[in-house]
Amino acid sequence: MKKGIFVSFLVAASLFCAAPARAESAADMVRALYAEYERADATKAGGPDQLDPKLYTARVRREIARLNRACKGKDMCGPDADFLIEGQDFKITEVKTRVVSASAERARVEATFKNFGGAIKRVFSMRREDGRWLIDDIDFGGGRRLKDELKPNP
């Protein structure tokens, strides 16, 4: 029993310490985000919350707050699936990131990975706010952007 509690504590501590918002570079933040999915799969835990305000800039947090207000009291109003991984379930493998462009305050980071073997690509527009790299936009391809995901479903 004590061993199980200790192991649970270690898993929780590792997830807390690996919080994407604590990353030193924009690419580190994106890698840490997908590492959370990999850890969650290994421990059979739920993945990270795609709408966690700690991941996003103030601008995106306002959009998330608007979405939450619009969806209050409604079923199935928010995103149908986790837009970070393109699905409701996940088995994330082969995560690769590369910096497309970077300055002191902004960066674009391309992430490629497989979810259940299907190739996925995301391009994150990152901004540094209060010393942390945060997501300001995501290009999902095909003209789809983060703002499209943060609208209530009809």
Side-chain angles (χ1 to χ4, degrees):
M1 175 78 172
K2 288 181 183 178
K3 184 178 181 182
I5 293 170
F6 181 69
V7 169
S8 296
F9 172 77
L10 288 177
V11 169
S14 71
L15 290 174
F16 178 76
C17 291
R22 297 184 191 340
E24 291 187 26
S25 75
D28 289 341
M29 187 276 193
V30 173
R31 270 192 296 278
L33 175 62
Y34 287 104
E36 286 187 43
Y37 284 99
E38 291 172 310
R39 275 191 297 281
D41 181 50
T43 61
K44 304 304 180 210
D49 177 6
Q50 67 180 340
L51 297 177
D52 183 346
K54 293 181 291 196
L55 299 173
Y56 299 99
T57 61
R59 182 188 67 76
V60 177
R61 288 193 303 270
R62 287 189 298 275
E63 290 180 35
I64 292 170
R66 249 189 311 275
L67 174 66
N68 289 335
R69 283 191 303 275
C71 290
K72 189 171 184 167
K74 297 178 183 175
D75 286 338
M76 304 301 292
C77 179
D80 285 335
D82 187 333
F83 51 75
L84 295 172
I85 58 166
E86 197 74 34
Q88 294 175 342
D89 298 318
F90 57 89
K91 181 150 188 72
I92 305 301
T93 59
E94 300 181 39
V95 176
K96 295 179 180 73
T97 59
R98 89 177 168 87
V99 176
V100 177
S101 62
S103 69
E105 300 300 317
R106 294 178 186 251
R108 287 180 38 87
V109 177
E110 178 184 273
T112 57
F113 57 92
K114 291 191 175 179
N115 189 9
F116 289 109
I120 311 285
K121 176 181 167 183
R122 299 283 182 262
V123 180
F124 292 83
S125 295
M126 311 291 291
R127 290 187 72 152
R128 187 183 292 273
E129 285 185 1
D130 299 323
R132 299 178 306 149
W133 285 104
L134 301 171
I135 301 168
D136 193 52
D137 196 8
I138 306 170
D139 182 346
F140 300 100
R144 212 171 104 227
R145 310 288 296 199
L146 180 58
K147 66 181 175 144
D148 301 317
E149 300 297 323
L150 299 179
K151 293 179 182 173
N153 285 325

